[in-house]
Amino acid sequence: MRLRRLMKPGRTVHAHCHVPCGIYDPVFAQNAAETVEKMVTQLLELEAPGPDASDADRVAVSQAVTRRVENKEEHAKKVKYELLDVLWTQYFKPAHVERWPDLHDKFFTAGHLATQNMQEISAEKAKALRDVVDEIAAIFLESKK
């Protein structure tokens, strides 16, 4: 009954964030960045079918590429969400930036690397994404002490 009263049209309900306090964790971004790197590695290891390959072999390679590219892009988006929408805008505060003056640059770099990993298949950029996400995770863990 109470919930219905809260949900009446025209009624505004406020919360200070969309993640319940205490469950912030960079592990989601780290896992997503690791997946991006793994998909890039697998894409670069795939061999194009030769001129004598069967149609079935061509379809299999095409499907393997499509699945890995889709997965890579989905996880790069997840990195951006977990870092920029959750940790940067909800967890980190001005006091953190004072303590770690390059924190803004790390998030900026991570966001751009996530986008570049959606656009390209680059082992260097995938590794750079994973590295900066790990750096942010280390800062997050240090901030909890």
Side-chain angles (χ1 to χ4, degrees):
M1 217 41 152
R2 275 189 166 153
L3 186 58
R4 282 192 188 163
R5 276 188 265 172
L6 284 175
M7 296 177 64
K8 283 184 181 179
R11 181 147 192 162
T12 304
V13 179
H14 298 280
H16 72 279
C17 67
H18 76 271
V19 177
C21 291
I23 65 164
Y24 297 106
D25 197 329
V27 72
F28 305 114
Q30 287 177 290
N31 180 268
E34 184 178 356
T35 300
V36 168
E37 188 176 36
K38 186 68 173 179
M39 292 301 100
V40 167
T41 299
Q42 289 180 10
L43 282 161
L44 293 172
E45 289 174 350
L46 285 173
E47 291 192 29
D52 298 330
S54 68
D55 287 344
D57 288 341
R58 290 181 197 285
V59 168
V61 170
S62 177
Q63 182 185 31
V65 168
T66 300
R67 290 181 66 220
R68 283 161 180 81
V69 166
E70 186 175 311
N71 202 319
K72 171 185 69 77
E73 292 183 11
E74 176 185 324
H75 282 83
K77 286 177 188 176
K78 186 172 183 176
V79 168
K80 287 176 79 169
Y81 171 76
E82 292 294 338
L83 288 185
L84 303 178
D85 288 352
V86 177
L87 290 180
W88 186 238
T89 62
Q90 295 177 36
Y91 174 78
F92 285 104
K93 305 290 182 243
H96 295 121
V97 178
E98 288 177 21
R99 185 169 174 194
W100 294 279
D102 63 343
L103 191 57
H104 175 79
D105 290 337
K106 289 185 185 304
F107 275 95
F108 182 85
T109 298
H112 282 277
L113 282 167
T115 297
Q116 290 169 350
N117 273 283
M118 285 186 266
Q119 297 168 335
E120 304 172 30
I121 299 171
S122 165
E124 294 80 20
K125 289 184 181 169
K127 178 163 182 6
L129 176 63
R130 187 166 178 200
D131 289 346
V132 74
V133 169
D134 285 344
E135 290 171 17
I136 291 168
I139 291 170
F140 172 85
L141 293 176
E142 183 65 26
S143 76
K144 302 290 276 181
K145 292 181 182 176

